Amino acid sequence: MSAAERGLAVIPLSRTKLPALRSPHHGVPHHGKPHHGDPQAGLPHADPTSPTPSPCRGACGRMGHGVYDASSDPHRIRELFAAAPWASGYGIACGLPPYHLIGIDLDTKSGTDAPAALRELALRHLFTIPDTVVVTTPSGGRHIWLSGPPDTVVPNSAGRLAPGIDIRGAGGYLVGPGSRTERGVYSTVPGTAHLPPAVCPAALLRLLVPAPRRRPPPPRGGVPPDPQQGQGLVQFVLAAHEGQRNTRLFWAACRAYENGIGEALTGPLTDAALRVGLTLREARSTLASAARLTGHA
């Protein structure tokens, strides 16, 4: 109710952080148990007994449509939580007025230094994160709340901006402070609970909205790019200490793609990543994230 008083639309969540209400379209009786939904899109997964998920987003008037049930109306909220008495938390829908909330989720479970990655992005793109609501997660991560413009749709993404940084935008939700999950309780960082979500910096917003795919610049004089141009980037990765490896690899790969030598440096950057201790899977995932961010995926 406190969140709703601030204009934030909420839904009940189970202890697994998933929407607590089962979809009414799966042909499965409601047994009072939380269903397994998709926290990224906010829509329930199809029940195994149902051939296809329903495209309904709440137009039927019934409950159980994930984030599309979200409301800031006190009467509706009471109805939602009365229908899910086992709920132990609440989700806050992103992308809706008045704040058009954007969530920056800094993960720590993957072994990456997401805060450092965000700092490097801020230094490179010349933006700062303003004072705003910050929520700590039971696993040690943080959710930064920002306000987006009403005419811009920010999509959900996982690791596209940088390894360990997930984005919650339109069609997604953030676990609200005070929610209790299987791993613990979500809490606001002291001194931030009273703040409104701050306006998202324009430079950061440009990174959050996918740009049209760009083709790499044509080689000068018809000569293919020389991989030796990227040896400085390879050395930058090789000099990484623990906690910097993913971040440095991501930064180097972005520079390589921007200079038209991304494909040529894929092998050398991967080798460098393996030498400093990353797994092949981690290296490939980070390189793919850099390709997506620079429009070469």
Side-chain angles (χ1 to χ4, degrees):
M1 288 301 184
S2 176
E5 287 176 1
R6 303 176 68 177
L8 299 169
V10 303
I11 55 170
L13 299 182
S14 71
R15 293 179 72 88
T16 61
K17 302 187 293 184
L18 302 175
L21 290 170
R22 187 188 301 273
S23 170
H25 302 292
H26 290 168
V28 179
H30 194 294
H31 297 298
K33 297 178 182 178
H35 82 287
H36 296 285
D38 181 353
Q40 181 80 353
L43 283 174
H45 286 162
D47 186 87
T49 63
S50 179
T52 57
S54 169
C56 180
R57 295 186 173 185
C60 68
R62 292 179 286 177
M63 303 178 192
H65 298 87
V67 75
Y68 299 104
D69 285 342
S71 176
S72 59
D73 177 71
H75 177 70
R76 180 61 172 173
I77 292 172
R78 290 190 181 94
E79 288 183 336
L80 288 168
F81 280 82
W86 57 87
S88 63
Y90 65 102
I92 298 174
C94 297
L96 301 180
Y99 297 111
H100 303 277
L101 194 64
I102 301 167
I104 311 297
D105 181 356
L106 303 180
D107 190 14
T108 58
K109 297 187 296 294
S110 60
T112 60
D113 191 343
L118 182 60
R119 288 193 296 270
E120 290 203 21
L121 284 170
L123 287 171
R124 176 173 176 255
H125 295 278
L126 304 178
F127 67 82
T128 57
I129 299 295
D131 291 337
T132 190
V133 181
V134 180
V135 176
T136 58
T137 74
S139 61
R142 292 198 168 198
H143 293 169
I144 299 171
W145 293 16
L146 296 172
S147 178
D151 57 348
T152 301
V153 176
V154 174
N156 296 289
S157 63
R160 188 188 70 83
L161 193 64
I165 300 180
D166 296 343
I167 305 300
R168 297 291 179 261
Y173 62 83
L174 291 165
V175 179
S179 296
R180 183 174 295 277
T181 69
E182 292 174 340
R183 301 194 61 176
V185 179
Y186 284 68
S187 305
T188 49
V189 170
T192 71
H194 70 286
L195 299 173
V199 174
C200 181
L204 175 57
L205 186 65
R206 286 193 292 270
L207 296 177
L208 300 181
V209 179
R213 181 172 178 176
R214 300 190 302 269
R215 294 184 177 181
R220 290 187 292 268
V223 178
D226 181 2
Q228 292 300 317
Q229 293 177 351
Q231 284 308 303
L233 297 175
V234 173
Q235 291 302 317
F236 179 73
V237 174
L238 289 172
H241 300 294
E242 187 172 356
Q244 301 177 326
R245 296 171 298 191
N246 262 309
T247 301
R248 285 194 171 225
L249 176 62
F250 180 76
W251 188 91
C254 285
R255 304 294 79 71
Y257 277 112
E258 289 171 351
N259 288 293
I261 57 174
E263 294 298 329
L265 273 190
T266 296
L269 286 175
T270 300
D271 292 341
L274 296 178
R275 288 177 61 183
V276 296
L278 290 180
T279 66
L280 181 59
R281 181 178 179 181
E282 289 172 328
R284 286 175 173 171
S285 176
T286 300
L287 291 171
S289 294
R292 286 193 297 270
L293 183 64
T294 56
H296 295 85

